[in-house]
Amino acid sequence: MTISVLTWNLWWRFGPWEDRQPAILATIRSLDADVICLQEVWFADGTSSAELIAEDIGFHVVGAHRLVIDGVGFGNAVLARWPITESAVLDLPCFEGHDEQRVVVRATVDGPDGPLQVFSTHLDWRYDRSATRQAQVRALCEFVADTRPRTHPPIVCGDFNAEPASDEIRMMTGEAAVPVDGLVFFDSFRVAGSGVGDTWSERNPFAAAEFEQERRIDYVFVGWRRSDGTGSTVSSRVVGDEPVDGVWPSDHFGVLAELRRPPA
């Protein structure tokens, strides 16, 4: 009895994006997740990459962006097997002159055991901007805390551009001072993953071309599990880590987590 949650950065329209789209779709179909959080979604011509995926697999979808590059939006989305009954968008903070117009998309999903509150986000990418990401984590956590009531632990997914030992991730997991008293998250891969779990890997030629260090920067976070185990992580693994018909879907690998549902 689990709910499967996928997070994945789709690399916008960078690289051979039209060739990559079928590989992205084939990978998502094969994973058959119940809830999908996407980052670097493109928005153009009245649609988006997330909407096209949702239409193909028969899912509900909500997405948002603030940043526009050459007339094409750059943002996040939540897709779900079940209806999305409510949504909201939060603009994340930045420091003067460094505005990447990052957002959090919140969706309330009418899941089989009651409402699921799901958040998809993408933090500042620069190595030297941990302070910005920490400010963004504070805003994110306040956004989650303000979204009440809830019966299921909140699910927060995204590309945090930060490794597990960073201050910003430690703020999420309670290993550093939490932004909101009583709100702490489990890192699904740390709980139930195997191996190093790098989502930015030199195995991926698109990532290798950037000459950056390998690291784990994409996460499925889940709030404190209920006393009956609801929301606890059963398994977590890296996905989207192989080419499809010779085409790598994205420069990032994704993460798929299985979360425990309430006992029958």
Side-chain angles (χ1 to χ4, degrees):
M1 294 282 289
T2 62
I3 289 174
S4 55
V5 180
L6 168 68
T7 190
W8 201 6
N9 179 322
L10 300 185
W11 202 30
W12 192 67
R13 284 189 172 184
F14 297 117
W17 69 272
E18 291 176 300
D19 293 333
R20 294 192 296 104
Q21 288 192 114
I24 290 169
L25 187 53
T27 301
I28 288 176
R29 283 197 204 111
S30 71
L31 296 172
D32 195 30
D34 298 312
V35 176
I36 303 170
C37 292
L38 301 177
Q39 302 84 46
E40 293 202 31
V41 172
W42 59 254
F43 296 77
D45 302 320
T47 189
S48 70
S49 50
E51 290 177 87
L52 295 177
I53 292 167
E55 181 179 357
D56 184 271
I57 62 178
F59 271 36
H60 305 269
V61 60
V62 61
H65 71 281
R66 296 290 184 261
L67 180 62
V68 177
I69 305 172
D70 296 330
V72 178
F74 177 110
N76 310 325
V78 176
L79 291 74
R81 187 180 303 280
W82 308 288
I84 295 174
T85 59
E86 181 270 347
S87 65
V89 181
L90 173 71
D91 295 339
L92 290 176
C94 64
F95 294 124
E96 186 175 356
H98 294 164
D99 191 0
E100 294 188 334
Q101 298 178 278
R102 304 288 177 149
V103 302
V104 184
V105 175
R106 182 187 75 208
T108 301
V109 178
D110 188 15
D113 308 301
L116 298 170
Q117 293 171 0
V118 182
F119 301 77
S120 179
T121 194
H122 185 189
L123 305 190
D124 194 298
W125 73 273
R126 285 268 299 262
Y127 274 71
D128 59 340
R129 291 187 188 159
S130 175
T132 298
R133 287 188 292 274
Q134 290 177 54
Q136 292 172 341
V137 164
R138 291 186 191 98
L140 166 63
C141 289
E142 290 168 2
F143 191 42
V144 175
D146 288 343
T147 307
R148 294 182 183 275
R150 53 174 159 260
T151 58
H152 188 283
I155 300 168
V156 177
C157 300
D159 174 3
F160 279 66
N161 278 307
E163 297 184 73
S166 67
D167 289 342
E168 44 270 46
I169 300 303
R170 293 171 62 243
M171 290 165 62
M172 293 287 293
T173 59
E175 295 171 283
V178 296
V180 177
D181 187 44
L183 183 66
V184 69
F185 296 90
F186 291 98
D187 169 1
S188 68
F189 192 86
R190 180 174 177 181
V191 170
S194 60
V196 295
D198 287 341
T199 55
W200 183 265
S201 170
E202 289 190 351
R203 287 203 300 112
N204 185 324
F206 294 134
E210 297 297 321
F211 301 102
E212 297 178 8
Q213 68 189 51
E214 297 182 300
R215 57 203 193 278
R216 182 161 76 89
I217 57 177
D218 300 85
Y219 300 85
V220 175
F221 289 111
V222 189
W224 197 263
R225 76 276 184 269
R226 289 189 349 194
S227 58
D228 61 6
T230 297
S232 58
T233 305
V234 175
S235 68
S236 184
R237 60 189 176 97
V238 171
V239 296
D241 56 344
E242 298 291 342
V244 178
D245 295 329
V247 178
W248 287 84
S250 175
D251 61 341
H252 281 244
F253 299 154
V255 179
L256 180 71
E258 298 282 345
L259 309 179
R260 193 179 304 278
R261 292 173 56 187

